[in-house]
Amino acid sequence: MNISPAKFHTLALAGVWILGVLSWATAFLLPLDWPVSSMTDRSALIPIGPVSEFVVPGQLFGTPEAVSAIDVLIRVGGPFGASTPVGMAVYEDVERTSLVARSGAEPVSVPAGLAVIRFDLDVAIDGNRRFYLELEIPPDNPWPIFVGGTRDDPRRAGDYLYLERRPGWSDQDLAYQFFRRQTGIQRFIHIASVRPEMAWTIVLSLVAVLGMSAGLSLLALRNYGWMTISGAAVALPGLALLALLVWLLL
Amino acid sequence: MSEFADFIRVSLVELSALFAGVGIVAWLLPQERRLPIVLGGGLAVGHALSIFVLMALLRLLPIGLAVPAVFLLALPPAAFAILSLRRRPYIWGVSLGWTVLALSLLTLISVGAVVDLAASVWNGSTHENLVVRMAMAAHAAESPWPVMDPYSPDHQRLYRHAAQVWTAALMRISGAGLYPATVVTVLASVLAIAGGLFAAVARLRSYLAGFLGASLFFTATPSNFLGVWKTPFGSLSTSKAYGLATVKRELAQGYVLGHGLALAPGNDFTLMVGLGAGSGAVFLAATLVDPTTRRRTGIVVAAMALAAAGAAAEQILPVAVATLLAVAAVLAIRRRWTQAISFAALVLLSSAFVLIPEGTYAALAFGSEIGQRAGFAFTPEYFLRLPTEFLFFAGSESHFFAVPAQTFRIWLFEPIALKEIGWIYVALASLIILSRRRNSASILAFAVAPAIALLIPGLVSDRLYEINIAKFTVLGISLGGLAAGVAAAELLARRKAGLARVGAGVLAGGLIVFASATWMLAVPFWPARLSEQPYRHLKEELEATDYLRSLDYGRRALILPGPTDKEEVNSDGWEGMHRFVVSFGATAIPMGLDRWGAAHLYQPYYIPAYDSLDEAAMAQLRIDTIYVAPHLLTEEQERMLESAVAEGRAKLLFESFAGNRQIYEYQPR
């Protein structure tokens, strides 16, 4: 099939613009799990347990912003590959008067011991509030179960580990990490409202990267028209951004 | 808004000094018509000469006269620059694509430098290094010369002063605050490094070599991007974003104690300032081989620029001097006597000029009555070995790139060193081969400089702090980036046909990737670097330190509660009050930070003063201010303070808007 140069130019022009618009739109509109700051860097990791339907592990915690998923560390005993369903319930307070959200997962016994288990909450919980979460071990679970905890962490005063629904040591906590499901544009608006300096860094970096892409496009496509060059200048960072977001957050 | 006005004012003042360099370069190179070279080299020369002239004038004049004198002296060459740009037929000569690419990359590098600095100042990702540098600048903006050590106010901190004094000069002349002046100093250094290196390499080789060399000088870091698939480094989540965000600063660090320029602004911005001045010297040295330049004056100006670099960061001078001597030797072997003598004269003059500014070299040569000298030692037993630190890669396992356990130094060719900085060795080997094949000595100079910087830690140790020697590694990695850029440009410029063409392209691409990929990978994590908020009452802190600065200069404060030794100063404890008091408050804390600061003379008094407001100790240290975070006081400290107030020794001067900071005036009975 012969394609005339003019047709090829038109196709190339349409291609780069479609690619550019699609990549930026996807990067901005794809819902992703954004990590929300919660744990400190200096926490020492410890196994807590064995926990069971009677020795219920719980945690009182504060959320810096709305949260839609929580990672915790769970170790399932027994042969590698053995698994057991574990539930997570989030309550308004330690008295468990009002259930806020619920989730479930099925951790598997692995050689590494503690494994990170993601609990996607059925309802996102609000930000800037305190909640109480519990892990629910089924009564017919045949394996010893441990949960990951942190130690020596004075900066998290107020966040209490609970075992058997009684407060534990003040310097110990469940190891948890929060996530919030948002699109890129929602995340950016949130950041811009609470941390403008972070938003400015994002904007300036993107402008500089777009400029670099424009320079490269001008060099590589100097025989093409302005529309093709500007399309490539938009598409290159869009694709890079999309690839980065997918690699980091999916 | 007032801080924005500060930024504008201080930027204009800095630009006038930089632009003076353009006038000087226009005069030194009357035949040069390439505008990128005159502008780039001029910015670096202006940066260097302003600093040197200021430091020299401080030997003769009070600081209140020396600072305006520098800016007055800058006016004639700045005016000459404007005249020359109007009258001479300069040409830009760079395509639109390259121009846009280069300026955008420079913008991105500048954003990265400011983010690194801002993260250290406001988001607690620093230790005492940057705080001490900024404190010195804040004190120099208020105090007579010489400025005393903020942690040992009866002593001088006898090492690199020049960058801090230049920041103070910008504060004095523009009336700007400490943070805007520091940001502009860092940005001016970025401009000077980029402009000076680009112009120097472009004059010697090509625009492409200048662009790649200067770019990779900034972006060069250890090759940590090779280990990112191992995230999340024992973290608490399977999220790659979370795992990488927790090592956001370490991403640009390596196992070898050297991280390139990526982390220099937030750790020790004096290195950036020194390299800016050094770039001016490199540019002027590159013009000495040209018979159309005003060579004799050029040698003197280059020596002043190199002396400014040595005064700002002492690590630069030995590397530059050794490289210049190597160049002089090669020129002498080739019987190009005039040029060889020019380079030798530059070395001699710069070695003499570097003694003029107060700082490390002057203290080494002449000693000091009131300061601590550097503790350098000749240690050839470490030959071919680099200092190490358990950083990024040590957090993960690798069977091939073995991490030696608890190692103080590693061999340059140990597997982990090959992984971290192996690309530098490839760049150096490429330059040596290209130099021989093309019979071009100017290529070789770019291999000599990083080799010297990497070899010096194997010969010299700092008995006080090994990290001062590790800065040679930082310099070596950046110079390795320069070498990689020049090698890549040479490989791309004259490719032969067939397999050789493919091989040259792959080698050039590999060098560019290895020298820049870690830096590039770190770009998406810049916002995360600004995420931590360790200072819970920052607004009140700044309100209180503003008040401190409004008082007469020379106050000495006890921080209650606060750190009492160096380790505690480096911690995040006490909401970082001490960091803001010594820097933004321009107030001394007489605890004696470390051995540079005569800690042994202050500690025996500061500790009893801290523990019990001991009257004799307070009098000995001449403490007149108690800076208090009432909500952090223990019951015992509360009682101690109440009793001092009741006895009339302490009087409340200031309380912040929410009551989380108080300032007491302390008066002995």
Side-chain angles (χ1 to χ4, degrees), chain B residues 22-23 26-27 38 77-90:
Chain B
V22 178
W27 184 80
V38 175
F80 183 72
I82 293 166
L83 276 180
S84 302
L85 291 175
R86 286 174 65 90
R87 290 183 180 170
R88 289 186 188 175
Y90 285 117

Side-chain angles (χ1 to χ4, degrees), chain A residues 23-248:
Chain A
S23 59
W24 281 99
T26 314
F28 279 135
L29 301 176
L30 182 69
L32 295 164
D33 282 336
W34 298 85
V36 173
S37 176
S38 54
M39 302 299 299
T40 58
D41 296 341
R42 293 188 302 174
S43 301
L45 201 60
I46 51 168
I48 296 172
V51 294
S52 64
E53 60 171 317
F54 304 111
V55 185
V56 181
Q59 176 73 34
L60 189 65
F61 65 94
T63 53
E65 57 180 285
V67 167
S68 56
I70 302 175
D71 276 1
V72 292
L73 294 166
I74 297 178
R75 175 178 185 170
V76 177
F80 298 146
S83 66
T84 193
V86 173
M88 175 185 280
V90 180
Y91 298 96
E92 290 259 359
D93 48 39
V94 283
E95 281 76 36
R96 300 181 300 139
T97 46
S98 175
L99 180 70
V100 178
R102 180 172 280 287
S103 179
E106 189 151 339
V108 178
S109 170
V110 292
L114 287 168
V116 178
I117 306 299
R118 172 74 51 92
F119 288 90
D120 288 308
L121 303 174
D122 56 354
V123 180
I125 58 175
D126 294 339
N128 294 312
R129 282 195 50 194
R130 301 202 78 76
F131 293 99
Y132 171 70
L133 74 79
E134 269 189 4
L135 291 180
E136 297 169 335
I137 316 292
D140 57 348
N141 161 55
W143 315 116
I145 307 281
F146 290 82
V147 291
T150 62
R151 197 176 58 188
D152 296 336
D153 197 352
R155 284 195 292 179
R156 295 174 69 203
D159 289 8
Y160 262 94
L161 169 74
Y162 282 75
L163 281 175
E164 298 181 60
R165 302 201 172 106
R166 285 178 301 195
W169 297 103
S170 62
D171 66 341
Q172 292 184 3
D173 290 284
L174 278 188
Y176 57 83
Q177 169 60 32
F178 299 137
F179 291 88
R180 184 177 192 182
R181 179 149 282 241
Q182 280 186 317
T183 62
I185 195 76
Q186 285 172 325
R187 191 71 200 154
F188 179 78
I189 291 168
H190 170 78
I191 287 173
S193 65
V194 294
R195 303 297 302 278
E197 66 276 21
M198 289 173 71
W200 274 112
T201 303
I202 293 167
V203 169
L204 290 173
S205 304
L206 278 179
V207 167
V209 169
L210 275 166
M212 289 169 64
S213 173
L216 284 171
S217 303
L218 278 164
L219 291 170
L221 304 171
R222 54 183 168 271
N223 297 326
Y224 291 76
W226 276 102
M227 285 298 284
T228 312
I229 290 170
S230 52
V234 171
L236 276 175
L239 287 171
L241 181 65
L242 183 60
L244 186 78
L245 291 180
V246 167
W247 177 60
L248 286 175

Side-chain angles (χ1 to χ4, degrees), chain A residues 33 35-36 38-41 45 71 73 116 118 150 155 175-177 179 195 197-198 201-202 204-205 207-216 218-219 226 244 247-250, chain B residues 95-98 100-101 104-105 107-108 111 115 123 228-229 231 234-242 244-246 248 520-521 523-528 530-534 572:
Chain A
D33 282 336
V36 173
S38 54
M39 302 299 299
T40 58
D41 296 341
L45 201 60
D71 276 1
L73 294 166
V116 178
R118 172 74 51 92
T150 62
R155 284 195 292 179
Y176 57 83
Q177 169 60 32
F179 291 88
R195 303 297 302 278
E197 66 276 21
M198 289 173 71
T201 303
I202 293 167
L204 290 173
S205 304
V207 167
V209 169
L210 275 166
M212 289 169 64
S213 173
L216 284 171
L218 278 164
L219 291 170
W226 276 102
L244 186 78
W247 177 60
L248 286 175
L249 300 171
L250 267 187
Chain B
S95 73
L96 181 64
W98 282 112
V100 172
L101 176 61
S104 301
L105 180 58
T107 305
L108 190 63
V111 171
V115 166
N123 305 97
V228 292
W229 74 88
T231 54
S235 79
L236 310 169
S237 166
T238 50
S239 165
K240 285 192 189 75
Y242 176 75
L244 284 168
T246 56
K248 48 196 176 285
M520 289 291 182
L521 185 73
V523 172
F525 295 98
W526 288 352
L530 300 173
S531 63
E532 281 173 44
Q533 293 177 292
D572 290 331

